[in-house]
Amino acid sequence: MQTNSLNAGPSTRPGVMINGGGNQGKTETTAEAAASFEEMWLHLRQRCDPEPLPGVRDVRCTVAYVQTPVKATPKATCESILDFFGDHISRSATLTQLIRQVRTSLRDHRTRVLILDDITRLRMHRVDDQDTLDLLRSLMSMRVTLILVGVGIPKSGLLRGAQRDATGQWAFEPYALDADWADDETTQTERRFDLADLEPFRYGTAEDIAHFVTHLAGLEGQLRLFNARPGMLTGGIMPEYVYRRTGGVVGYIERLIGDGAALAMDTGTEEINEGVLDRVLIRAGGPRRDAASGEEGEVPPQPASMKGRRKPRNKVLDDPGVPASSTAVT
């Protein structure tokens, strides 16, 4: 992101693909990296950009985040980008007009990074999705760093015809001229992507365990339970238990610990232990996730001790009646 933003030449900026399994924390990791870049870039540009005039709203947007539509088309993708900027979208606008509007928005908002999440919703056997991929490649010539985030990118078809070069980058070969969906202006130029893989935590070596325990220590430091204690998540067999329940997937770890903390408060336990976590059922489904794209992931099987067990009803608000030791008032 930094290298591309400092490049003032007219050449196409290389992009980045963030690959990983469902609930692996790809979006969170990308957002954190983009936020750090934005802070650095704004601090740098303070020496170059003039201060905004009094009474004028600064519309700078260094980083733009857009989710790929479930059924993507070039027009729907353009509309999603424009919707992020809050631009007016004319329903009668042609694709050429929408692309021009996207280009104008990126320039006027001085956008340097465009993040497209859930990119593997694109299916390369559909013509609309092939056209959408061509559109995304054309965005790389708009002086922005294109970051594509998705599940199983190497096997999705997005890198079809691409090979790794000597630097380890994915280089796209020119498409065949007889392809019925190819566009000379957007596909006959070689594009480059860096592919970054995010994998679950591992538990096979002492170094792997140390990394996993360090992550649990970070979560432990954020818990605000009355009976919380040092080593609540990192001591004893708790790391092994959490790994067995989550498979080392970041999203599942956060759900297990978060739901466990909520249950600990509801029941008055005010601490996290195996008994509390045994009653937590990790659910992968989400209203904004596309199961066909692998975004939900696969949850490890729950412990045998919690199968068939029903969560007890919260009795905090129940009326216990008049205590036996009290005297009725007449």
Side-chain angles (χ1 to χ4, degrees):
M1 291 184 283
Q2 178 179 346
T3 302
N4 286 351
S5 298
L6 294 174
N7 182 6
S11 59
T12 299
R13 275 57 171 172
V16 181
M17 289 186 176
I18 309 296
N19 176 64
N23 289 280
Q24 189 51 52
K26 301 179 298 298
T27 300
E28 183 176 357
T29 301
T30 304
E32 288 286 345
S36 298
F37 163 76
E38 182 175 21
E39 292 180 359
M40 180 277 297
W41 183 252
L42 293 180
H43 177 73
L44 177 65
R45 300 306 295 177
Q46 285 178 355
R47 304 178 183 180
C48 304
D49 287 353
E51 294 293 332
L53 298 176
V56 176
R57 184 167 63 93
D58 187 4
V59 294
R60 181 199 304 267
C61 183
T62 306
V63 178
Y65 172 85
V66 179
Q67 267 199 324
T68 306
V70 175
K71 293 185 178 181
T73 63
K75 293 188 67 173
T77 304
C78 288
E79 291 173 353
S80 297
I81 297 174
L82 295 174
D83 184 65
F84 172 85
F85 291 114
D87 290 353
H88 172 72
I89 303 174
S90 174
R91 296 303 176 186
S92 60
T94 63
L95 177 59
T96 302
Q97 293 172 329
L98 289 175
I99 295 176
R100 185 182 301 115
Q101 190 175 353
V102 168
R103 185 187 300 270
T104 301
S105 294
L106 293 174
R107 182 194 64 224
D108 291 348
H109 290 86
R110 291 173 282 182
T111 302
R112 297 296 176 179
V113 178
L114 175 60
I115 301 173
L116 284 162
D117 203 355
D118 300 323
I119 192 61
T120 42
R121 290 177 176 178
L122 299 181
R123 303 289 191 276
M124 292 300 98
H125 64 277
R126 296 193 298 228
V127 176
D128 284 340
D129 291 11
Q130 294 167 357
D131 292 338
T132 302
L133 182 58
D134 283 343
L135 169 66
L136 299 183
R137 291 175 183 166
S138 70
L139 295 179
M140 300 177 70
S141 63
M142 297 184 185
R143 304 186 67 177
V144 297
T145 299
L146 187 62
I147 300 181
L148 308 180
V149 184
V151 178
I153 289 179
K155 299 180 180 179
S156 66
L158 293 174
L159 294 174
R160 180 180 300 172
Q163 296 180 352
R164 287 189 182 273
D165 60 13
T167 64
Q169 295 177 319
W170 286 98
F172 283 95
E173 298 295 333
Y175 284 95
L177 292 176
D178 57 352
D180 58 356
W181 49 271
D183 183 280
D184 291 344
E185 295 181 358
T186 59
T187 62
Q188 297 307 313
T189 303
E190 183 180 271
R191 313 295 186 181
R192 291 183 179 273
F193 281 93
D194 287 327
L195 181 63
D197 284 310
L198 296 182
E199 299 179 350
F201 284 102
R202 298 179 179 177
Y203 211 78
T205 66
E207 184 179 3
D208 294 337
I209 296 175
H211 289 316
F212 182 65
V213 172
T214 299
H215 182 72
L216 292 183
L219 296 177
E220 182 179 288
Q222 299 178 11
L223 294 176
R224 296 296 180 264
L225 298 174
F226 290 138
N227 296 330
R229 65 187 187 281
M232 185 172 57
L233 296 181
T234 58
I237 64 172
M238 184 59 73
E240 182 178 349
Y241 172 87
V242 174
Y243 186 84
R244 186 171 66 252
R245 287 290 310 275
T246 63
V249 177
V250 174
Y252 297 157
I253 297 172
E254 293 182 355
R255 293 189 184 189
L256 177 66
I257 303 303
D259 291 349
L263 182 60
M265 290 185 288
D266 288 344
T267 58
T269 307
E270 291 294 339
E271 70 171 322
I272 292 181
N273 51 47
E274 292 182 52
V276 172
L277 297 183
D278 274 348
R279 298 163 60 182
V280 176
L281 178 62
I282 303 176
R283 300 184 185 276
R288 301 183 63 181
R289 297 185 181 274
D290 181 23
S293 300
E295 297 168 11
E296 294 182 353
E298 184 177 352
V299 183
Q302 63 188 34
S305 59
M306 68 174 293
K307 292 183 178 179
R309 181 184 298 181
R310 298 181 60 184
K311 181 178 178 180
R313 184 172 60 86
N314 192 336
K315 300 181 180 180
V316 174
L317 301 179
D318 289 354
D319 184 5
V322 180
S325 59
S326 62
T327 305
V329 178
T330 58

